[in-house]
Amino acid sequence: MHETRQHPIKTAAPVTRRWVTKSGAALGALGLFAPDTAQAQSNTEDGMADTIIRNARVTTLDPATPDADAVAIRDGLILATGRENEIMWLADSDTHVIDAGGRRVIPGLNDSHTHLIRGGLNYNMELRWENVPSLADALRMLKEQADRTPAPQWVRVGGGWSEFQFAERRMPTLDEINTAAPDTPVFILHLYGQALINRAAIAVLGFGKETPNPPGGEIQRDAQGNPTGLLIAKPSALILYSTLAMGPKLPLEEQINSTRHYMREMNRLGLTSVIDAGGGGQNYPDDYAVIQQLHDADQLTVRIAFNLFAQTAGAELSDYENWVAMTEPGAGSNMLRMNGAGENLTWSAADFENFLEPRPDLVPTMESELEPIVELLAVNKWPFRIHATYDETIDRFLTVFERVNQRQPFETRFIIDHAETITPRNIERITALGGGIATQHRMAFQGEYFVDRYGAEAAQATPPIRRMIDMGTPVGAGTDATRVASYDPWVSLYWMTTGKTLGGMPLYSEDNLLTREEALRLWTHGSAWFSGEANEKGTLAPGMYADLAVLSADYLSVPPDEIRQINAVLTMVGGRIVHGEGPFSDLAPPLPPASPGWSPVGAVPSPGARQATGATETRIDRACHDGCASACSLHGHDHGIAWTNPIPVKDVKSFWGALGCSCFAV
């Protein structure tokens, strides 16, 4: 059992490293470097540990001591790792000793591309469908949330789900949504391709026969010209996000509460750091007031490095000229710091990641708009990142980067985000310029659609992570949450090591899969490169930040399908406990109840607390028990296809018969 007494652990103010100067002096004096034992590595002069985690299986990712039984922490940093009988020499009467109960301990996970700041403002309003095993369950949750949501609020279902996770293996119909929520506006986002809204939302939004389609989007209409409730990205997601933005927002105090709950949920999944990639409608500094207020009150429980995202088409260069005069990379603290530009540098460079539609061609003026922005950033030594799904886009970007680099050599990192179809040639060009690639698990949600459009062979390396690693390119892992993909890192770790989508479709051959330790390294030390912090976090080596997670199950040995069910039972950031559950629940800091009172967060288990979709037999039983509501007289409904074979994406009748009716939107 662990000790329950509280020890005053220092908060996340900038830490001192003056004691990280003489390696091993005190431990050597104590005889801990005996030649016949595993050495406890330390950088300390005479200090004892604030906290020790013992009786653990520690994966440090530190080549000097890759495995350990115990970890000692002092002043928010790792003091030593090694055998328990050695590390306990660093305990005195004030040391807080935690018994991990033989559990796996890993460095805290770090999402190299997510949208925490925007996601936190909305988290308490969102009904999440991650890990919901059936469409019947999802619709029941929708009805219950609609019943508790007061006017004029909406029910919003964001990203993190796929119809292929459901036992029924189909989308909800608009009739089902309207039945579940006849009076409360509903907005359901499906990947980057479409949104479903109910009749109440159509009325509130004022959509009618005369409402024009926005550029790059379509409001689907019935035979009489009335909106059906299906909004389609063709290929721009602007129609989806601009419609979502029309919904009510939470007041400031509830945005603060929402962000705190979102960070705690991330801590519960073992996340201790993120790099926030900005977003549309997230203007600096105005829309950073909530996260700054939490930082100033010492209430951040996730380290955040944030990028600045150009907001207005045609005024992107002006945005960056203003921001260069206002701030600089590294400004802030080790809990909240500015990280550079992007992921949007200019709107004309957006190649929409919507595999339901053909690959878009960027406008001919893209290069002339991008180049002066990149040059401004290079002159001012600003790191930058840029969204790029397709190799054709990356090729054009790199030509611009190389041209700027000839005039003004890059002196800091740049990041290509996503890179699903990148070729070896362009990986080499990125590496030569000093860049890195931030990868995400978007294919776990869209893989079936990619295969349907481009074929299984083309999907074999989307993205080619193994090739990136072998070519020496810096690679980070992440989610791109929350609007499409789940913020759950264990979905990504499952996808990277098994190559499977949420629906179980194998995408990759063995040569593009990662070992579990390789995937973990990308989620920790690999991601730290993308905020220039590879020397400060990502491993449990002496002198690194004491950011770590004690896991609910042993990630390195559980069956593959159980990876998605892992969470942290104890999480520390800078040596401070930010989450605890089960035997460690008494160590967790208090969190106020979720507000407003109708929030889904207070009514249903968080996505990370749900079990992942069960075995095939369970799915069959559940779907049949639910009456096979996805049957369609036009397209058929063959259970055997869906549950005993790969998804027949090239056979239209079988494909839609297995997954649900293709005319679900009418």
Side-chain angles (χ1 to χ4, degrees):
M1 295 296 292
H2 65 278
E3 298 181 15
T4 59
R5 64 185 175 89
Q6 291 289 342
H7 180 72
I9 299 173
K10 290 181 171 60
T11 60
V15 295
T16 175
R17 293 176 181 264
R18 66 177 184 274
W19 53 268
V20 193
T21 55
K22 297 183 180 178
S23 177
L27 294 184
L30 291 172
L32 298 187
F33 291 157
D36 294 332
T37 65
Q39 294 181 342
Q41 303 296 317
S42 175
N43 288 327
T44 181
E45 295 182 25
D46 55 6
M48 305 301 279
D50 296 329
T51 303
I52 290 177
I53 299 176
R54 57 172 290 272
N55 188 20
R57 288 178 288 177
V58 185
T59 298
T60 69
L61 299 181
D62 173 18
T65 310
D67 300 294
D69 304 321
V71 179
I73 297 166
R74 174 182 165 87
D75 291 341
L77 305 179
I78 300 298
L79 177 62
T81 63
R83 290 187 175 176
E84 182 176 321
N85 62 344
E86 301 164 344
I87 296 301
M88 291 306 296
W89 280 95
L90 295 169
D92 61 16
S93 60
D94 291 325
T95 300
H96 182 195
V97 179
I98 299 174
D99 186 336
R103 293 175 176 84
R104 178 68 59 184
V105 177
I106 63 170
L109 301 177
N110 183 354
D111 192 324
S112 65
H113 182 120
T114 189
H115 299 272
L116 180 151
I117 296 172
R118 181 181 65 196
L121 302 180
N122 299 289
Y123 177 70
N124 281 6
M125 293 192 293
E126 293 180 343
L127 179 67
R128 308 293 301 185
W129 278 356
E130 281 103 327
N131 288 339
V132 174
S134 74
L135 178 58
D137 289 319
L139 289 169
R140 173 185 53 77
M141 293 168 61
L142 182 67
K143 180 183 187 311
E144 291 172 353
Q145 185 56 43
D147 290 344
R148 73 172 67 95
T149 302
Q153 294 292 336
W154 298 8
V155 177
R156 308 158 197 246
V157 177
W161 63 280
S162 161
E163 68 269 38
F164 304 112
Q165 80 191 42
F166 295 144
E168 300 88 344
R169 300 180 76 81
R170 68 173 179 88
M171 291 281 290
T173 68
L174 288 168
D175 282 344
E176 288 170 329
I177 294 169
N178 282 306
T179 298
D183 303 314
T184 306
V186 169
F187 179 98
I188 300 175
L189 181 64
H190 178 239
L191 304 177
Y192 297 89
Q194 53 196 352
L196 287 77
I197 60 176
N198 65 350
R199 284 189 289 267
I202 293 173
V204 166
L205 293 165
F207 287 178
K209 290 183 178 181
E210 306 305 319
T211 304
N213 288 327
E218 177 186 336
I219 301 171
Q220 191 187 69
R221 304 170 195 275
D222 62 19
Q224 289 73 45
N226 297 305
T228 65
L230 180 66
L231 310 179
I232 306 172
K234 283 188 167 292
S236 170
L238 176 63
I239 185 175
L240 313 181
Y241 300 149
S242 61
T243 304
L244 180 60
M246 296 178 190
K249 294 178 173 58
L250 293 175
L252 177 62
E253 287 304 313
E254 290 179 348
Q255 288 180 342
I256 291 172
N257 179 281
S258 177
T259 301
R260 292 188 67 187
H261 276 269
Y262 186 39
M263 289 190 296
R264 179 64 67 89
E265 171 72 352
M266 301 186 92
N267 297 150
R268 215 187 64 74
L269 293 166
L271 281 153
T272 58
S273 289
V274 302
I275 306 176
D276 187 285
Q282 191 173 325
N283 195 32
Y284 182 82
D286 297 345
D287 296 308
Y288 291 71
V290 167
I291 207 71
Q292 188 66 52
Q293 184 170 332
L294 287 167
H295 171 270
D296 294 346
D298 196 24
Q299 291 181 333
L300 291 185
T301 62
V302 177
R303 299 186 194 272
I304 303 169
F306 60 87
N307 287 69
L308 302 185
F309 185 109
Q311 293 297 304
T312 306
E316 299 95 336
L317 180 59
S318 177
D319 275 342
Y320 286 115
E321 288 173 337
N322 291 334
W323 290 333
V324 163
M326 185 184 304
T327 186
E328 62 183 357
S333 75
N334 59 30
M335 290 300 296
L336 182 66
R337 61 198 298 268
M338 209 283 281
N339 193 49
E343 70 180 292
N344 181 50
L345 298 181
T346 176
W347 287 97
S348 61
D351 67 341
F352 304 103
E353 57 280 41
N354 177 8
F355 301 138
L356 290 167
E357 297 290 333
R359 177 183 65 82
D361 289 319
L362 303 186
V363 296
T365 59
M366 182 275 293
E367 285 85 351
S368 63
E369 295 174 12
L370 178 62
E371 188 162 337
I373 295 170
V374 173
E375 184 149 16
L376 173 72
L377 299 172
V379 167
N380 287 278
K381 301 179 177 58
W382 271 45
F384 63 88
R385 66 191 312 155
I386 190 165
H387 166 109
T389 299
Y390 298 99
D391 186 68
E392 292 84 351
T393 304
I394 295 168
D395 192 73
R396 290 176 64 179
F397 289 169
L398 291 175
T399 299
V400 172
F401 298 170
E402 288 164 345
R403 193 157 56 235
V404 172
N405 185 62
Q406 290 176 349
R407 299 190 300 270
Q408 176 60 53
F410 291 173
E411 297 184 39
T412 186
R413 65 195 175 278
F414 74 90
I415 302 163
I416 296 293
D417 282 309
H418 316 312
E420 273 84 3
T421 70
I422 192 170
T423 58
R425 172 178 174 269
N426 281 333
I427 297 173
E428 185 175 7
R429 293 170 74 192
I430 291 169
T431 308
L433 281 171
I437 302 173
T439 62
Q440 299 83 40
H441 62 326
R442 304 190 310 180
M443 287 293 289
F445 299 86
Q446 299 196 90
E448 286 85 355
Y449 291 118
F450 187 96
V451 170
D452 186 37
R453 180 168 296 280
Y454 299 109
E457 184 176 353
Q460 284 288 315
T462 51
I465 299 178
R466 166 63 61 199
R467 178 68 72 103
M468 298 172 190
I469 294 172
D470 291 346
M471 294 179 69
T473 308
V475 181
T479 63
D480 200 12
T482 61
R483 284 184 168 174
V484 175
S486 173
Y487 54 76
D488 188 341
W490 300 100
V491 176
S492 173
L493 287 158
Y494 167 82
W495 164 76
M496 295 168 82
T497 55
T498 69
K500 294 181 179 179
T501 68
L502 287 185
M505 172 186 275
L507 290 174
Y508 311 134
S509 57
E510 288 292 326
D511 59 3
N512 198 38
L513 299 182
L514 304 185
T515 68
R516 296 191 191 188
E517 185 169 317
E518 287 174 326
L520 179 62
R521 188 174 294 277
L522 295 191
W523 260 100
T524 52
H525 196 244
S527 291
W529 181 90
F530 292 78
S531 58
E533 297 175 289
N535 293 326
E536 298 173 301
K537 61 184 175 183
T539 70
L540 299 180
M544 302 288 271
Y545 291 142
D547 300 349
L548 58 84
V550 182
L551 301 182
S552 61
D554 189 351
Y555 162 68
L556 295 179
S557 64
V558 296
D561 287 343
E562 294 181 18
I563 292 174
R564 287 172 51 195
Q565 300 175 23
I566 293 174
N567 65 274
V569 294
L570 179 75
T571 305
M572 302 181 82
V573 176
R576 179 172 60 174
I577 296 170
V578 295
H579 164 73
E581 64 182 53
F584 309 103
S585 59
D586 56 341
L587 302 179
L591 191 67
S595 62
W598 52 265
S599 170
V601 173
V604 297
S606 69
R610 301 172 191 150
Q611 293 294 300
T613 303
T616 298
E617 292 78 11
T618 303
R619 293 183 187 177
I620 294 174
D621 293 343
R622 180 56 186 262
C624 292
H625 177 72
D626 289 339
C628 303
S630 52
C632 173
S633 60
L634 177 62
H635 298 108
H637 185 67
D638 186 346
H639 286 301
I641 292 175
W643 289 313
T644 63
N645 295 287
I647 304 303
V649 292
K650 291 300 182 185
D651 181 344
V652 175
K653 180 179 184 297
S654 298
F655 176 69
W656 290 112
L659 303 182
C661 177
S662 62
C663 53
F664 69 89
V666 298

